[in-house]
Amino acid sequence: MCGEIVGLSGDVDGGSVAPGFAERLGQAIDAAGGVRVAMKVTGISDSQLRRYIGGDSEPSISKLCAIAGFAGVSLRWLVYGQGAVLSDDQIRGNVLASDDTIQVPILDIRAAAGAGSINGDAAELGRAPFSRAFFRHHGVSPEAAQLIRSCGVSMVPTIADRALVMVDRLGRDVVDGDIYVVSLGDEVRIKRLHKSISGKITLKSDNGDKRLFPDEELSVADSRDLRVHGRAFWTERAL
C-alpha cells in the first residue's frame, strides 16, 4: 500500500498532504471503528490520533501507512484526496475488523449517473467494513446498507464517475431533493428526485451542463412505475 505514494519520504510535514486531509482522516477512522479501535490496531496513541484529526499535526509515512492499512483506505486518497477511497484490500475484505464493525456488501451493479445502464443479477464483489457509529450517525440500519458503483458524470461534483455509493434500501419513500437509486425497466440510475403535487417525479442531475444532462420529467404513469431501490447517503463522503 505504501508503494502507491510517489514522492513522499519521512514525515509529510511541510504541506505535502492535500487540503482536507484531516477531514478525510477522521472519516476513515470513524468508518473503521473509531479512535479507540485505531489506537489498539495501529499502536498510535489516542492523543496523537486526535491531533492528526484536528489538523494540529501530520503523521509520518509509517504512521500514514498504518492508519490507511487499519482503515482499508487508499493511501493516495488519504494523503492527496485522489482516486477511490477504498483500497483493493478493503474491497477484497482483507481488512482487520472489530466487534463494532459491520461488513457492507459491495454489489456488482453499475448505477448510471448518466444516460442509464442495463444491469443483470447483482453478484457480491466483496465487503467493506464500517463502524456501527457510522450508521448511527446517518440514522441507517446496517442490515439495509449496500455499496454499488456509479457510472457516468451526470451527478458530478456530488458523485464522481466510478465512485462507490452507499444505499439505504429502506429509504424508499421519496423526500424531495434527496438522491436515490431508481430504475425504469432494466435501467438503474442515480438521480436527485423531485416530486410534484400531481405525483409526477422529475429526475435531476447535479452536473451543471443541462444541455447534456437535462431534467427528466416523468409522466404520471412512469412516475408510478418508477422503482425506488433506496436512498444514496454516502459516496466516499456524506451526501
Side-chain angles (χ1 to χ4, degrees):
M1 180 179 289
C2 292
E4 65 182 294
I5 292 293
V6 178
L8 288 179
S9 61
D11 291 343
V12 294
D13 297 327
S16 294
V17 299
F21 166 74
E23 181 182 1
R24 291 191 298 276
L25 180 67
Q27 290 175 351
I29 289 176
D30 178 61
V35 170
R36 286 189 178 182
V37 180
M39 178 182 64
K40 293 177 181 177
V41 174
T42 65
I44 304 171
S45 69
D46 179 285
S47 60
Q48 189 64 63
L49 285 169
R50 294 188 188 280
R51 282 196 290 272
Y52 298 155
I53 294 170
D56 300 318
S57 179
E58 291 180 354
S60 67
I61 287 294
S62 61
K63 288 184 170 61
L64 274 170
C65 290
I67 294 168
F70 152 72
V73 298
S74 160
L75 192 58
R76 185 167 294 279
W77 173 82
L78 185 62
V79 176
Y80 297 127
Q82 298 174 354
V85 60
L86 298 185
S87 69
D88 290 340
D89 280 342
Q90 188 167 14
I91 291 174
R92 287 193 297 264
N94 296 334
V95 177
L96 291 175
S98 71
D99 292 339
D100 189 51
T101 298
I102 300 295
Q103 297 289 337
V104 180
I106 304 170
L107 302 184
D108 187 15
I109 294 176
R110 290 178 298 165
S117 178
I118 297 176
N119 298 271
D121 294 334
E124 186 175 302
L125 296 174
R127 289 182 173 246
F130 287 82
S131 70
R132 294 182 185 275
F134 170 85
F135 292 102
R136 288 195 295 270
H137 174 75
H138 289 284
V140 172
S141 170
E143 292 75 17
Q146 293 178 335
L147 285 160
I148 63 174
R149 197 171 290 282
S150 69
C151 178
V153 297
S154 76
M155 290 302 290
V156 170
T158 308
I159 300 175
D161 183 23
R162 296 188 57 76
L164 282 170
V165 179
M166 194 175 298
V167 180
D168 174 14
R169 292 184 293 108
L170 295 181
R172 295 177 180 174
D173 293 332
V174 175
V175 175
D176 193 63
D178 281 359
I179 299 173
Y180 294 86
V181 177
V182 300
S183 63
L184 268 176
D186 291 330
E187 291 184 343
V188 180
R189 318 281 292 277
I190 301 179
K191 293 294 177 184
R192 198 176 294 278
L193 301 188
H194 291 272
K195 191 173 185 177
S196 70
I197 297 175
S198 66
K200 288 184 178 180
I201 291 178
T202 300
L203 281 58
K204 292 194 173 185
S205 301
D206 283 6
N207 192 310
D209 190 342
K210 295 305 178 185
R211 181 180 61 85
L212 292 177
F213 305 106
D215 296 345
E216 303 173 60
E217 185 180 69
L218 303 181
S219 66
V220 173
D222 282 345
S223 296
R224 285 196 299 263
D225 291 339
L226 184 72
R227 294 183 60 195
V228 179
H229 301 285
R231 179 178 63 88
F233 67 95
W234 180 91
T235 174
E236 307 181 5
R237 65 182 180 83
L239 292 176

